[in-house]
Amino acid sequence: QKQLQESGPGLVKPSETLSLTCTVSGGSISSNIHYWGWIRQSPGKGLEWIGSINHSGSTFDNPSLKSRVTISVDTSENQFSLKLTSVTAADTALYYCARSWGSNSPFDYWGQGTLVTVSS
Amino acid sequence: DIQMTQSPSSLSASVGDRVTITCRASQPIYSYLNWYQQKPGKAPKLLIYAASSLQSGVPSRFSGSESGTDFTLTISTLQPEDFATYYCQQSYSSPPTFGGGTKVEIK
């Protein structure tokens, strides 16, 4: 049973860096067909794709986030991570990690989500 | 970015009703359209991919269709567990984008 689980601080101060990790179980993150991504959901902006990383380590991110995004993979821990720099209150959201089977594919497995609040 | 416009934003229906939700893309996305169901406190769940392919384990009362840049999700006979919010998502071009959602409520 494939499972994804997000972890990380629930509170981040403005201008600091948001860091989240997604642990994958029930399958290898080293799969050569899957992409691993981050999606967030807020009342104001709905569902928003943040970025993804593929099996070869290539990353893709949403231009709307103005190069604040870094996504990386740790194959030894079967995890992938998100860093979002220079956060503001607008980055307050429920953050999900998810898997897709290609760059033009849907997200077929999702984590349960973790709420991150940006506040001083 | 490709804009995805869903309608209606909410609807009220009764168990047993046939429900139709529409999603319109701002430009051609061919069949790269996916539908998700989200219940309160839960992550979105993939229902339909490639406009009309049913995800494994999803009941056959859910179906999808397309006509040009217009896509439709149909629930043939609404069940109590189907009251939720439904989202469309295009995966044709980056960034992938989602519709604003349609909340299906109990009449």
Side-chain angles (χ1 to χ4, degrees):
Chain A
Q1 176 74 356
K2 296 172 188 59
Q3 288 189 319
L4 287 75
Q5 177 70 59
E6 306 87 353
S7 59
L11 182 64
V12 182
K13 290 182 168 54
S15 80
E16 295 191 346
T17 296
L18 178 160
S19 296
L20 296 175
T21 296
C22 182
T23 301
V24 178
S25 57
S28 173
I29 202 168
S30 301
S31 161
N32 62 2
I33 61 170
H34 293 124
Y35 283 51
W36 306 95
W38 291 95
I39 297 149
R40 68 184 182 181
Q41 185 172 31
S42 61
K45 297 193 77 173
L47 287 160
E48 181 182 30
W49 174 74
I50 298 169
S52 296
I53 187 166
N54 68 10
H55 52 273
S56 60
S58 297
T59 57
F60 312 85
D61 59 78
N62 196 326
S64 70
L65 293 168
K66 297 180 172 58
S67 303
R68 297 192 289 133
V69 173
T70 301
I71 299 175
S72 58
V73 166
D74 183 342
T75 54
S76 66
E77 297 289 340
N78 225 38
Q79 296 175 335
F80 64 105
S81 298
L82 168 70
K83 291 189 187 302
L84 181 66
T85 61
S86 305
V87 297
T88 69
D91 295 308
T92 294
L94 189 57
Y95 284 75
Y96 294 101
C97 58
R99 187 192 83 166
S100 64
W101 62 76
S103 61
N104 296 108
S105 298
F107 300 100
D108 60 346
Y109 284 94
W110 296 62
Q112 66 185 24
T114 188
L115 179 62
V116 178
T117 301
V118 178
S119 175
S120 55
Chain B
D1 297 2
I2 297 176
Q3 307 303 313
M4 306 301 296
T5 304
Q6 273 184 251
S7 60
S9 57
S10 65
L11 64 91
S12 295
S14 301
V15 172
D17 284 353
R18 181 181 182 88
V19 169
T20 299
I21 298 167
T22 298
C23 181
R24 173 169 290 174
S26 61
Q27 61 190 74
I29 59 169
Y30 305 96
S31 297
Y32 290 92
L33 190 284
N34 313 302
W35 289 99
Y36 300 86
Q37 176 195 66
Q38 186 177 34
K39 295 182 178 179
K42 300 291 187 182
K45 172 189 172 184
L46 179 64
L47 299 176
I48 302 277
Y49 63 94
S52 60
S53 296
L54 198 65
Q55 174 69 348
S56 176
V58 174
S60 60
R61 63 180 179 272
F62 291 94
S63 64
S65 63
E66 65 177 296
S67 176
T69 57
D70 291 340
F71 298 83
T72 301
L73 173 69
T74 300
I75 309 172
S76 60
T77 307
L78 196 66
Q79 297 300 302
E81 59 268 31
D82 300 337
F83 292 97
T85 301
Y86 294 84
Y87 295 94
C88 61
Q89 177 237 336
Q90 66 82 16
S91 52
Y92 175 68
S93 72
S94 189
T97 47
F98 294 83
T102 296
K103 186 173 184 178
V104 178
E105 299 175 299
I106 301 172
K107 182 183 281 186

